[in-house]
Amino acid sequence: MKIVVLDGYVLNPGDLSWSPLEALGEVTVYDRTSFDAEDPLIVERIGDAEIVVINKTPISKTTIDACPNLRAIAVVATGFNVVDYEYARQKQIPVFNVPGYGTQIVAQYSVGLLMEICSHFQHHSDGVYAGKWNNCPDFCYWDYPMIELCGKTAGIIGLGRIGRATAKILNALEMKVLAYGSRECEEGRKVAEYTDLDTLLEKSDVIFLHCPLFPETQGIINQENIAKMKDGVILINSGRGQLIVEEDLADALNSGKVYAAGLDVVSTEPIREDNPLLKAKNCLITPHIAWAAQAARQRILDTTVKNIENYLHGEMTNVVNPW
């Protein structure tokens, strides 16, 4: 069994072991391949492999047709939109993903972005090291208003696993939590109050994006919906960059309609130099790392190995394109 990993570095920069995967077959690992679906290097590197493991390297219809030995595709992530999974279904090629691996760490990171916006920890620490405190006439100083979250309202768009984990943290901060999503559940009702989108936009002091990227959610944060929000709202996105119309958010940040944004994702990654958010006021951007704690990456690798092992034994787990 030949297995090729096309972009393994981000998952495993050297602190994990590929040995469990290597126990399943002949494994070739490439650190990086391409983000361009039509790059011939993708087909060249897959070659006659039967299983391909990817993170963000796309697998198109053209690639599937050009690799006749391909039997399965394992995505080392929850999102699988980089694969033409519908065409793979037609060819009876299962596509596996890894759901649920980052529930707690992404929730932790999302609230961490909010905490940084509310208290500016790094900025004030930098000020101390720059001598601002020891030269201060008072026993303390601050350069930004401090924001207390207790009693404020948080809105979560998408109350799945990560959304519910985020809601639990917000409950502990004694915030009121509203939620909007396509499916309601009893577990969600325990941590949030379901409402319609307009109500969430109008009443929330902080809005978290935890919904999947679907046609109906693409660009959900746009000029029209921003206009429905409270003046001075805070926006947190650790889901998908395409949920936001970035020019509209940049305008809202620069006008003060949106007080601040904490973003771990943008529409094109790595971020482009001309992304309007890079020049927007009060915009905290981190490089898509909410998921990247070692413990979470280990869970991804363990689940991927299990998905492939089960497949080799005739059992399908975490298949996103069943037939």
Side-chain angles (χ1 to χ4, degrees):
M1 179 63 61
K2 289 188 177 181
I3 303 169
V4 61
V5 181
L6 290 182
D7 52 343
Y9 182 82
V10 171
L11 174 64
N12 179 16
D15 56 352
L16 305 180
S17 172
W18 293 111
S19 59
L21 185 64
E22 291 166 345
L24 301 179
E26 178 187 336
V27 177
T28 301
V29 178
Y30 296 99
D31 283 346
R32 303 166 187 85
T33 298
S34 178
F35 297 132
D36 178 2
E38 302 309 315
D39 189 329
L41 189 60
I42 297 174
V43 171
E44 179 184 326
R45 287 184 167 179
I46 293 173
D48 61 352
E50 294 145 292
I51 297 175
V52 60
V53 179
I54 62 163
N55 192 328
K56 295 296 182 288
T57 295
I59 302 296
S60 66
K61 176 181 182 295
T62 302
T63 296
I64 293 171
D65 284 340
C67 300
N69 279 8
L70 191 59
R71 297 291 177 264
I73 301 167
V75 183
V76 292
T78 301
F80 48 88
N81 55 302
V82 294
V83 180
D84 190 337
Y85 55 91
E86 292 292 352
Y87 186 66
R89 175 191 285 121
Q90 294 176 33
K91 303 286 283 189
Q92 294 195 328
I93 297 173
V95 178
F96 311 113
N97 77 333
V98 185
Y101 74 89
T103 299
Q104 299 302 328
I105 188 58
V106 176
Q108 171 188 311
Y109 195 93
S110 300
V111 177
L113 288 173
L114 175 61
M115 294 296 190
E116 174 63 22
I117 287 169
C118 291
S119 300
H120 299 275
F121 303 116
Q122 188 61 56
H123 169 83
H124 289 105
S125 177
D126 290 345
V128 171
Y129 283 94
K132 287 187 177 181
W133 195 15
N134 61 286
N135 291 314
C136 180
D138 304 306
F139 75 93
C140 70
Y141 80 94
W142 58 92
D143 291 331
Y144 288 92
M146 299 290 106
I147 298 174
E148 184 177 70
L149 293 169
C150 178
K152 294 190 181 298
T153 298
I156 300 177
I157 300 177
L159 202 65
R161 292 186 185 94
I162 297 172
R164 293 194 298 271
T166 300
K168 290 178 182 178
I169 300 172
L170 301 175
N171 290 163
L173 294 173
E174 298 188 33
M175 298 184 73
K176 179 178 181 179
V177 182
L178 303 178
Y180 167 76
S182 58
R183 289 180 295 180
E184 298 184 10
C185 66
E186 189 57 37
E187 188 177 354
R189 293 188 187 94
K190 293 177 181 177
V191 294
E193 175 187 335
Y194 284 104
T195 187
D196 59 88
L197 180 60
D198 283 353
T199 299
L200 183 148
L201 295 173
E202 292 165 7
K203 295 194 173 188
S204 297
D205 300 294
V206 183
I207 295 174
F208 291 85
L209 299 180
H210 285 311
C211 53
L213 179 62
F214 292 135
E216 59 269 26
T217 59
Q218 183 168 353
I220 195 170
I221 302 301
N222 52 44
Q223 185 179 37
E224 180 182 357
N225 281 337
I226 290 171
K228 299 173 184 176
M229 298 176 188
K230 286 184 177 183
D231 292 346
V233 67
I234 296 171
L235 179 69
I236 305 294
N237 185 16
S238 54
R240 289 290 182 267
Q242 298 92 332
L243 299 171
I244 295 173
V245 179
E246 292 173 334
E247 188 68 50
D248 292 352
L249 176 58
D251 289 343
L253 286 162
N254 289 331
S255 72
K257 172 66 178 180
V258 175
Y259 170 71
L263 313 173
D264 186 51
V265 289
V266 292
S267 59
T268 300
E269 296 173 352
I271 194 169
R272 292 167 53 99
E273 290 183 1
D274 62 354
N275 189 306
L277 293 169
L278 288 172
K279 296 183 178 179
K281 296 178 182 178
N282 295 332
C283 191
L284 174 65
I285 305 174
T286 58
H288 201 149
I289 54 173
W291 66 282
Q294 184 184 35
R297 290 185 288 107
Q298 184 66 63
R299 285 192 292 272
I300 294 173
L301 184 55
D302 291 345
T303 302
T304 299
V305 169
K306 192 64 177 176
N307 286 341
I308 295 172
E309 183 179 26
N310 288 344
Y311 167 72
L312 295 177
H313 288 91
E315 181 183 351
M316 301 286 199
T317 51
N318 298 316
V319 178
V320 303
N321 63 338
W323 54 84

